[in-house]
Amino acid sequence: MTVLHSAPKISSNEGVRATLSNALGSYLVKAHEEHGEILLRVKRESIEDVLRLLRDDHAYQQLMEIAGADYPSRPERFEVVYMLLSLTKNHRIMVKVSTDEATPVPTVTTLWPNAGWLEREVFDMYGVLFDGNTDLRRILTDYGFEGHPFRKDFPLTGYVELRYSEEEKRVVYEPVELAQDLRQFDFMSPWEGADYVLPGDEKAATSPVDEPKTTEKKGDTGAGEKTDAKAAEKVSKGSPAEKGSTADSDAPEPTESRPDRKPRKGKSKDTAAATEPATKPRATRSRKPKGDGA
């Protein structure tokens, strides 16, 4: 029996962007599709109204995540990304707003209670303020931590971290120690090579060869009568390499080889099967069918 469900297994973006763009109207700044997902960029001060409209009128019931991003070169360097899920449509969309370090973003804790924890995380990592969040405290970093770790200009050294010491039985502050040096990856093809000199490659730099060396004379290669005479002195006496020498050997005399077989007479082919002895077929006795008078 086929069971029909309102939520398809694979959701389609067909018509979604046009429908939501018309519904948001003046709230919308830009709408486009990227990597198979619908992205809606809206005005910062209207984010609460936009998400309420998407939740109540377009069935995007769940707020799955609030994430941040930092683009230092932009006037409004931070992006706050809201990821919504529709359970009835089995469809996801992303809503984005931009802000800077001083301008707060309206809170959406009035729409989803879990937004309080998510906004605290964005505040802790990026320093984005949320207007209306009554409990905007750090949630991931240590007590008394200064700065916001996910900012691109956040230094990697010069700060302290705390941990619980089993030896001292208390919380201790220590300078931050990196497990490994920060490395920059350009993800270039190893066959193309990088445009810059890698550490250690400066030792392999050689000057180009203007005129290649050729071996036109025997003296250039080291060959000649003098070289042959020196090589002859190093050859052991009686070795096969010595000219005209016959080394004595205690090896046994070679045995006589088997004489060739005479060609077969007749039309039969000289094959392996033909040389095998013939075997007589088994005699079988025919049985007569029994009749009525037998």
Side-chain angles (χ1 to χ4, degrees):
M1 179 178 178
T2 304
V3 179
L4 299 178
H5 198 276
S6 58
K9 292 183 179 180
I10 300 177
S11 57
S12 174
N13 291 333
E14 185 177 359
V16 176
R17 182 175 61 177
T19 301
L20 297 181
S21 298
N22 294 333
L24 297 180
S26 60
Y27 298 149
L28 184 66
V29 176
K30 182 182 178 182
H32 66 283
E33 182 176 348
E34 185 176 352
H35 303 298
E37 295 182 344
I38 301 296
L39 278 73
L40 305 173
R41 185 179 295 276
V42 301
K43 297 179 180 179
R44 178 180 58 251
E45 61 274 7
S46 305
I47 184 61
E48 184 180 1
D49 297 332
V50 169
L51 296 185
R52 179 182 288 107
L53 188 148
L54 294 174
R55 184 194 66 177
D56 299 342
D57 297 348
H58 297 275
Y60 288 94
Q61 302 96 342
Q62 289 193 359
L63 174 65
M64 303 303 298
E65 180 64 276
I66 300 179
D70 184 16
Y71 301 92
S73 58
R74 299 180 183 178
E76 294 184 342
R77 60 182 294 183
F78 300 114
E79 277 189 354
V80 182
V81 185
Y82 302 83
M83 304 177 189
L84 306 182
L85 169 65
S86 174
L87 298 176
T88 54
K89 299 177 182 179
N90 190 19
H91 193 264
R92 297 174 184 265
I93 60 173
M94 290 195 294
V95 183
K96 293 184 177 183
V97 297
S98 300
T99 187
D100 54 22
E101 301 180 24
T103 307
V105 178
T107 183
V108 294
T109 53
T110 56
L111 304 177
W112 291 282
N114 67 321
W117 290 73
L118 302 176
E119 290 176 354
R120 287 177 59 185
E121 182 178 350
V122 176
F123 163 72
D124 193 1
M125 297 292 103
Y126 295 93
V128 177
L129 302 175
F130 292 90
D131 186 19
N133 191 321
T134 58
D135 189 22
L136 198 62
R137 296 176 293 128
R138 292 185 179 272
I139 192 173
L140 295 177
T141 54
D142 303 332
Y143 305 105
F145 189 88
E146 297 180 2
H148 304 281
F150 279 7
R151 290 188 179 185
K152 296 294 180 63
D153 53 3
F154 184 79
L156 298 180
T157 59
Y159 285 86
V160 296
E161 61 183 353
L162 83 157
R163 65 177 179 86
Y164 181 78
S165 175
E166 289 289 345
E167 298 177 356
E168 301 183 19
K169 302 298 181 181
R170 66 181 182 89
V171 175
V172 296
Y173 284 85
E174 296 175 342
V176 176
E177 294 182 2
L178 300 179
Q180 67 178 25
D181 294 336
L182 178 66
R183 295 179 293 174
Q184 301 291 342
F185 298 94
D186 52 14
F187 301 102
M188 290 182 61
S189 171
W191 310 113
E192 297 174 0
D195 297 333
Y196 51 87
V197 179
L198 296 175
D201 286 356
E202 67 277 0
K203 301 177 182 179
T206 57
S207 59
V209 179
D210 297 332
E211 297 181 1
K213 185 178 180 180
T214 58
T215 56
E216 298 177 354
K217 299 182 299 182
K218 291 184 179 180
D220 296 337
T221 60
E225 297 178 357
K226 294 182 179 180
T227 305
D228 296 341
K230 291 182 179 180
E233 295 176 358
K234 297 180 180 180
V235 177
S236 59
K237 184 179 180 180
S239 62
E242 190 174 2
K243 184 177 179 181
S245 64
T246 56
D248 297 334
S249 177
D250 297 335
E253 296 294 335
T255 57
E256 295 181 357
S257 59
R258 183 177 180 180
D260 296 337
R261 185 175 55 190
K262 296 181 180 180
R264 296 175 60 88
K265 296 181 180 180
K267 297 182 179 180
S268 61
K269 297 181 180 180
D270 191 7
T271 61
T275 59
E276 295 178 358
T279 56
K280 296 182 179 181
R282 292 181 60 186
T284 57
R285 183 177 62 181
S286 61
R287 301 179 62 183
K288 296 182 179 181
K290 294 181 179 180
D292 296 340

